[in-house]
Amino acid sequence: MPNAKKLPSGNWQVKVYSHTEYVDGKPKRIRESFTASTKAEAEYQAALFKRKNKRRLPRELTLGDALQGYIDSKDGILSPSTIRGYRQMKRTYLCSLQEEPLSHLTNLKLQAALNQERKQHNLSPKTMRNIAGLLSAAINLYMDDFRFKVTLPEKERYDYHLPTQEEITAILAFTEGSELHTAILLAACLGLRRGEICALKWNDFDWGKKIVRINKATVLTDTEHWKTKKPKSYAGDRVLSLSDGLIQELKKIKSSGNVIASTPTQISHRFMRAVKAAGLEHFRFHDLRHFNASLMLSEGIPDKYAVERMGHSTTAILKSVYQHTEDTKRMEVNAMMNGCIDSLLSS
């Protein structure tokens, strides 16, 4: 129950959710206001209303309606790629459950439906959490007293291949003279994302100050069009220092307009083919960012500065690279110890 707030008049007021109405096809939460001379009295009236007032949901409002209403209410606020993902989830999953009226939903029904979806589509724990997150947000938009509680599969650790410096050198040599070569340079040396590389323009570079400004990204909208937008977090807007060697390499390529003409998807596909053709162990274009992070970790750069350069808001991704680096070191220690033991036993 929300706490009452004191008004300039000296009275106390508390507002509680009453119901949801549609305005121009979009949901609007309606709140009831209670004012009294004391805080206790205002909160008592609000609590009494909550007990007596049943959820006023239109009988025809289904889970599908709630999902659509939630997505529409966030369009223009969340990133185009996030909205695209929400719409795709709504089209693909829980189709039968979406026909259920909201007032008939229970956690048991939600759990059973989620279990069925995972079995049918062999969904990863991450996808399951994304679906559950969308469900919870949509239901709570219309029924804020509904306690969403389901059990989800444990997170799985993605065992990616962290490319070595030798592999980076090899793929750069293999792609020399191509647009992909430029993309690899920017990802491996600066830790840029595909979308940031595709949105980058040559006038974002300041050769005199030896810096580049990262302040936009190319994303795919829900209408399957590529769009340039601002970073989805404040941390994504950053200025990176350029090494003399990288400046020298980039000046060989420099022209005008966009640095890269390809889309993020095209970069990934071309990179995958190039890695295979070069005879290297499979790794993703995105793993070039992990390589860049591993360089910072190996040089002992503090997390605060590493995260700033990567454009992250938290250290979550950095910790996954830490784990990979620790595993590699652990293997080296194990091999060293095993050698010592074998030497001892053979003496």
Side-chain angles (χ1 to χ4, degrees):
M1 174 64 64
N3 294 324
K5 294 183 179 180
K6 196 168 186 179
L7 301 174
S9 63
N11 289 330
W12 292 82
Q13 185 181 76
V14 60
K15 294 181 178 181
V16 294
Y17 171 77
S18 172
H19 62 285
T20 299
E21 294 179 357
Y22 279 93
V23 179
D24 296 328
K26 294 188 176 182
K28 181 180 180 182
R29 293 164 64 87
I30 306 301
R31 297 181 180 275
E32 196 77 19
S33 177
F34 298 91
T35 305
S37 57
T38 66
K39 180 180 180 182
E41 177 61 23
E43 292 179 349
Y44 171 76
Q45 290 181 21
L48 193 62
F49 170 80
K50 290 289 288 183
R51 283 198 299 269
K52 291 182 178 180
N53 186 54
K54 294 181 180 180
R55 286 178 289 196
R56 290 154 57 188
L57 289 170
R59 288 187 179 274
E60 70 277 6
L61 188 65
T62 65
L63 175 60
D65 296 328
L67 288 169
Q68 190 61 55
Y70 175 79
I71 295 170
D72 290 343
S73 71
K74 299 298 180 180
D75 191 8
I77 298 175
L78 300 178
S79 73
S81 57
T82 299
I83 293 297
R84 177 174 174 268
Y86 283 166
R87 295 196 194 282
Q88 186 174 1
M89 279 191 280
K90 182 183 182 299
R91 287 193 303 268
T92 309
Y93 306 120
L94 303 170
C95 296
S96 297
L97 190 66
Q98 289 186 42
E99 299 174 3
E100 284 272 347
L102 276 187
S103 57
H104 293 181
L105 288 182
T106 64
N107 278 310
L108 182 59
K109 286 184 178 180
L110 293 169
Q111 183 72 72
L114 286 169
N115 289 349
Q116 182 60 34
E117 289 296 324
R118 190 181 193 202
K119 291 177 182 177
Q120 182 179 346
H121 298 283
N122 192 28
L123 301 178
S124 68
K126 181 179 180 181
T127 300
M128 291 291 290
R129 291 178 186 279
N130 289 343
I131 296 172
L134 176 59
L135 271 178
S136 176
I139 293 171
N140 287 326
L141 178 64
Y142 296 91
M143 302 192 298
D144 65 347
D145 57 342
F146 184 90
R147 189 184 174 202
F148 184 88
K149 188 176 181 181
V150 297
T151 302
L152 298 171
E154 293 292 329
K155 291 182 179 179
E156 293 177 351
R157 179 181 161 196
Y158 174 64
D159 190 19
Y160 58 85
H161 172 63
L162 186 64
T164 64
Q165 293 193 36
E166 290 74 20
E167 287 173 322
I168 299 297
T169 301
I171 194 65
L172 281 171
F174 185 81
T175 57
E176 183 74 42
S178 70
E179 189 175 79
L180 181 59
H181 178 84
T182 307
I184 294 171
L185 269 178
L186 294 169
C189 300
L190 296 178
L192 299 190
R193 302 173 176 92
R194 294 178 313 161
E196 292 171 337
I197 293 170
C198 292
L200 197 62
K201 296 181 180 297
W202 286 112
N203 60 16
D204 291 320
F205 291 89
D206 188 323
W207 307 115
K209 294 181 179 179
K210 299 182 180 180
I211 59 172
V212 59
R213 180 67 182 266
I214 310 302
N215 56 10
K216 51 191 171 296
T218 299
V219 299
L220 191 61
T221 68
D222 61 317
T223 57
E224 302 297 325
H225 289 94
W226 292 102
K227 175 183 178 181
T228 299
K229 68 169 195 68
K230 293 182 179 179
K232 66 179 180 180
S233 70
Y234 178 77
D237 192 332
R238 60 203 190 278
V239 175
L240 298 176
S241 175
L242 302 172
S243 72
D244 291 334
L246 181 57
I247 290 175
Q248 185 178 350
E249 289 297 316
L250 291 173
K251 280 188 173 181
K252 294 178 185 177
I253 309 161
K254 183 182 180 302
S255 57
S256 60
N258 280 56
V259 175
I260 298 289
S262 306
T263 67
T265 300
Q266 289 171 337
I267 286 178
S268 289
H269 290 167
R270 291 168 186 170
F271 181 78
M272 184 169 57
R273 291 195 295 268
V275 168
K276 185 176 181 179
L280 301 174
E281 182 177 346
H282 170 74
F283 62 96
R284 309 166 304 168
F285 185 84
H286 191 74
D287 291 330
L288 296 172
R289 266 172 64 78
H290 292 157
F291 167 78
N292 185 266
S294 73
L295 287 182
M296 289 189 279
L297 297 179
S298 66
E299 293 300 319
I301 294 175
D303 289 2
K304 169 181 166 54
Y305 302 107
V307 167
E308 283 180 2
R309 284 186 61 90
M310 297 293 288
H312 285 303
S313 301
T314 69
T315 60
I317 299 298
L318 201 62
K319 287 178 180 177
S320 72
V321 181
Y322 264 126
Q323 183 63 50
H324 193 283
T325 303
E326 288 172 359
D327 287 349
T328 303
K329 186 65 177 177
R330 188 176 292 110
M331 291 174 63
E332 293 174 0
V333 170
N334 288 341
M336 186 186 304
M337 285 303 299
N338 288 339
C340 291
I341 297 299
D342 289 345
S343 177
L344 172 67
L345 296 177
S346 63
S347 60

